[in-house]
Amino acid sequence: MAAVEHAADTSAAVAAADAAAAAAATSDPSERLSIASAPRRVLSIQSHVVHGYVGNKCATFPLQLLGFDVDPVNSVHFSNHTGYPSGFAGDVLQGEQLWKLYNGLEKNGLAGQYSHVLTGYIGSEDFLRTVVRVVRSVREAAAATTGRGNTIVPYICDPVLGDNGKCYVPESLIEVYVRTCVRACVHE
């Protein structure tokens, strides 16, 4: 049930950011309408688990129901979410790997198509710092694609850190979220 509630919250946050970006992009109401009806594509950088529904597995479908195309990048590939008492197994994507994937999108002219960037569970400090680079680059690519320097690409950051007093991620990530992600969320 928590995954369903989380997916609804995430989808609502993206939809709200979509409406706010359209309103903030211009004061001309007719231009606002064209922005709101433009293709909506989310770059969703979150976890993937084999068993269960968290991260990209629970965010993609609700966003698609709301009319968004979703391009998922898996920040980790785990057997199950990290809250299980006997642990989990799997791999954490590193920042260099994320940048390599993003460069492939950029080289093919795809990076400028994103209207939103969404992040969830991040497993390493290096990866999180690279996420901020990706957000900046997506915004630059979108501005170049639209020909408008004021193109707003909302960054919705869901800092999945833990539950019930237990931190699921390295505590060093908290400082990175505070120092870099908050600024990226407010269009630095």
Side-chain angles (χ1 to χ4, degrees), residues 3-26:
V4 172
E5 292 170 358
H6 180 76
D9 292 346
T10 300
S11 299
V14 172
D18 191 44
T26 180

Side-chain angles (χ1 to χ4, degrees), residues 101-134:
L101 288 171
Y102 179 74
N103 278 333
L105 294 169
E106 200 170 44
K107 287 177 183 175
N108 287 294
L110 303 171
Q113 295 179 12
Y114 293 109
S115 59
H116 300 76
V117 177
L118 168 64
T119 59
Y121 181 91
I122 304 294
S124 78
E125 203 175 314
D126 174 58
F127 190 91
L128 184 55
R129 291 183 194 286
T130 304
V131 163
V132 174
R133 285 178 58 201
V134 167

Side-chain angles (χ1 to χ4, degrees), residues 73-188:
V73 173
N74 297 325
S75 60
V76 299
H77 188 100
F78 289 159
S79 55
N80 47 269
H81 72 70
T82 58
Y84 276 78
S86 296
F88 60 95
D91 298 310
V92 176
L93 203 68
Q94 296 302 310
E96 182 181 315
Q97 294 166 300
L98 173 60
W99 195 248
K100 190 175 189 178
L101 288 171
Y102 179 74
N103 278 333
L105 294 169
E106 200 170 44
K107 287 177 183 175
N108 287 294
L110 303 171
Q113 295 179 12
Y114 293 109
S115 59
H116 300 76
V117 177
L118 168 64
T119 59
Y121 181 91
I122 304 294
S124 78
E125 203 175 314
D126 174 58
F127 190 91
L128 184 55
R129 291 183 194 286
T130 304
V131 163
V132 174
R133 285 178 58 201
V134 167
V135 170
R136 288 181 187 134
S137 188
V138 163
R139 288 178 174 159
E140 290 168 6
T145 299
T146 62
R148 296 187 354 207
N150 68 340
T151 299
I152 296 174
V153 176
Y155 169 36
I156 300 92
C157 175
D158 178 6
V160 178
L161 301 172
D163 284 317
N164 301 320
K166 180 183 176 196
C167 195
Y168 293 161
V169 299
E171 290 195 23
S172 61
L173 284 176
I174 296 168
E175 184 71 20
V176 180
Y177 275 112
V178 170
R179 294 201 179 274
T180 61
C181 292
V182 171
R183 284 192 300 213
C185 285
V186 293
H187 308 290
E188 61 179 356

